[in-house]
Amino acid sequence: MATKIKLMRLGKMRAPHYRIVVADARKARNGRSIETIGKYEPKRDPSFMEVDSERAQYWLAVGAQPTDAVAAILKVTGDWQKFKGLPAPEPMKVAEPRPDRKAAFEAASRNNTEAAAPDTSGATTPRRRRPAAEKPAEAKPDDAKPDDAKPADAKPADATPAAETPAAETPTDETPTDETPAEKPAYE
């Protein structure tokens, strides 16, 4: 029986994933296979290739012929060179490991709790910080300014504000206004 090492297509449209399988040469591309020896995902960056080297060496040794695509994958992984006795290729480019999301979340929450002042109001949400532009400017004391720098319309220190004027000037008896209508009997 003639055996081939070929790709079995999986996945959906425009998102292919392949299994590297050993199958009878007369079977269809996605037909019945003898053994699965690897995976290939071309859409990842960089492409993901995983080959069971021992099984690939066994099937190449017993005469299984790789297709052109599988031969290229075996050359990248170094299994073809190992089979032919050639020097190993340069190492494959491997994706960086993903950062641990839980550790990143805990670090961010630690940073936020350390930066925030303790909230004693009992509110469940932290107080919003004002940006630097909204902070009120510090008032400078009047004695820091020279007397000639004061504006000409400034009031003397002994003047009383309008709110502290005596109450005798304002009328004391209140007359009913139109806002409070007098009570009328409903029916006379």
Side-chain angles (χ1 to χ4, degrees), residues 37-166:
I37 61 170
K39 296 177 188 175
Y40 173 54
E41 297 178 18
K43 290 291 188 171
R44 280 198 192 175
D45 186 31
S47 298
F48 175 75
M49 295 176 213
E50 179 182 79
V51 178
D52 183 359
S53 185
E54 289 180 16
R55 296 308 297 166
Q57 294 301 319
Y58 168 78
W59 283 106
L60 290 170
V62 296
Q65 295 297 310
T67 61
D68 293 338
V70 173
I73 292 170
L74 293 176
K75 287 177 184 173
V76 169
T77 60
D79 292 316
W80 185 255
Q81 288 87 341
K82 190 185 292 185
F83 173 67
K84 291 290 188 177
L86 301 172
E90 57 188 65
M92 280 192 322
K93 182 179 176 184
V94 182
E96 295 178 11
R98 290 184 175 179
D100 185 20
R101 290 173 35 177
K102 186 175 182 180
F105 174 77
E106 289 173 356
S109 65
R110 260 188 268 118
N111 290 342
N112 287 342
T113 55
E114 291 172 1
D119 187 17
T120 58
S121 66
T124 57
T125 56
R127 291 184 182 185
R128 193 182 90 201
R129 292 184 179 173
R130 285 192 238 170
E134 290 183 21
K135 290 185 179 179
E138 293 182 18
K140 295 182 180 179
D142 287 336
D143 55 0
K145 296 180 186 177
D147 290 334
D148 57 318
K150 289 184 182 179
D153 62 329
K155 296 179 183 177
D158 60 334
T160 58
E164 296 179 1
T165 57

